Amino acid sequence: DVKVTQSSRYLVKRTGEKVFLECVQDMDHENMFWYRQDPGLGLRLIYFSYDVKMKEKGDIPEGYSVSREKKERFSLILESASTNQTSMYLCASSFPATGGSTGELFFGEGSRLTVL
Amino acid sequence: DQQVKQNSPSLSVQEGRISILNCDYTNSMFDYFLWYKKYPAEGPTFLISISSIKDKNEDGRFTVFLNKSAKHLSLHIVPSQPGDSAVYFCAATGYSTLTFGKGTMLLVSP
């Protein structure tokens, strides 16, 4: 069974704090992703990575950075948290699909971040 | 520009009846489509997918139909059960990452 584990289910941080969200997958997937989910906006891609040390910007990368030092771990960093970053953050992983497109994603349970 | 659209934010259905969730897309490069189901406070889980070379894919109570000329796909759930109550996301891909719709909240009442 594929397992994607996010380190914190619920976090409360103050404006300006640095926030780390950790994600670990145990299926040796090459691809890893960070999404945020907001009511009425669906799932929006923040950053993704196709391999160790590689990262690509998604649709809404502003205010975020990522780190992938090991294949199984993908971290999302909020350098200086702001109230508009209050959201549900979802990590996902996958094998590469044929043709270069993304295969089926396996999601973690999510991290609910509140920035005060 | 929204490339994957789910125009119904919510849908209410009675138990035992059919649920039909719709999804439209604009990008002609999309060739693989997926549906995900999400319960509150949990991550989305994969439900069913369809390749653009097919027009129908069935898995138990779930069937996805694809109409490429109309750039439209639909998810049919028959019969609907209260445990199907969740948010359903349509997603599409063609050459890179998945693009998700905004989701449709399905409520199945007993």
Side-chain angles (χ1 to χ4, degrees):
Chain A
D1 235 12
V2 175
K3 189 129 177 96
V4 179
T5 303
Q6 294 184 229
S7 55
S8 305
R9 293 295 306 275
Y10 300 95
L11 303 94
V12 180
K13 298 291 181 181
R14 297 205 175 273
T15 301
E17 279 193 79
K18 191 168 186 176
V19 181
F20 291 89
L21 299 178
E22 305 283 342
C23 175
V24 177
Q25 50 93 4
D26 64 1
M27 279 300 291
D28 203 33
H29 285 165
E30 283 83 358
N31 302 340
M32 295 190 75
F33 307 82
W34 276 105
Y35 287 87
R36 62 179 281 180
Q37 184 202 357
D38 300 287
L41 297 177
L43 296 171
R44 294 182 292 167
L45 181 62
I46 305 171
Y47 266 97
F48 61 102
S49 169
Y50 286 145
D51 202 349
V52 176
K53 305 272 187 192
M54 291 182 63
K55 59 184 179 184
E56 299 282 345
K57 291 180 180 179
D59 300 317
I60 52 163
E62 296 77 20
Y64 303 94
S65 61
V66 290
S67 172
R68 192 156 182 211
E69 296 295 319
K70 293 184 178 182
K71 189 175 185 179
E72 68 272 18
R73 187 179 297 270
F74 194 35
S75 302
L76 180 69
I77 303 151
L78 287 68
E79 293 288 342
S80 177
S82 62
T83 54
N84 63 12
Q85 292 178 310
T86 291
S87 186
M88 167 73 88
Y89 290 88
L90 293 160
C91 176
S93 69
S94 75
F95 287 117
T98 56
S101 62
T102 304
E104 176 194 333
L105 298 185
F106 296 87
F107 284 89
E109 292 193 316
S111 299
R112 169 72 65 185
L113 172 66
T114 301
V115 183
L116 303 176
Chain B
D1 182 30
Q2 215 182 328
Q3 298 187 68
V4 178
K5 300 178 186 179
Q6 294 178 256
N7 292 320
S8 298
S10 63
L11 175 68
S12 291
V13 171
Q14 278 196 313
E15 182 178 7
R17 307 290 275 263
I18 184 171
S19 296
I20 300 176
L21 294 92
N22 293 304
C23 178
D24 297 294
Y25 63 96
T26 57
N27 192 331
S28 301
M29 297 296 292
F30 288 151
D31 62 1
Y32 190 62
F33 305 88
L34 306 90
W35 286 93
Y36 282 81
K37 175 179 176 180
K38 186 182 184 300
Y39 293 117
E42 293 184 13
T45 54
F46 169 74
L47 193 57
I48 192 168
S49 63
I50 188 166
S51 164
S52 60
I53 61 173
K54 294 185 174 183
D55 55 17
K56 177 182 173 181
N57 189 25
E58 199 168 349
D59 184 3
R61 296 186 296 115
F62 303 91
T63 303
V64 57
F65 295 93
L66 175 63
N67 182 334
K68 282 194 299 181
S69 60
K71 293 191 176 67
H72 176 84
L73 62 154
S74 60
L75 174 68
H76 292 212
I77 306 174
V78 183
S80 301
Q81 299 174 354
D84 295 329
S85 297
V87 177
Y88 290 78
F89 290 100
C90 171
T93 183
Y95 49 88
S96 183
T97 58
L98 284 182
T99 300
F100 285 86
K102 293 185 177 182
T104 296
M105 180 178 292
L106 173 66
L107 177 63
V108 181
S109 53

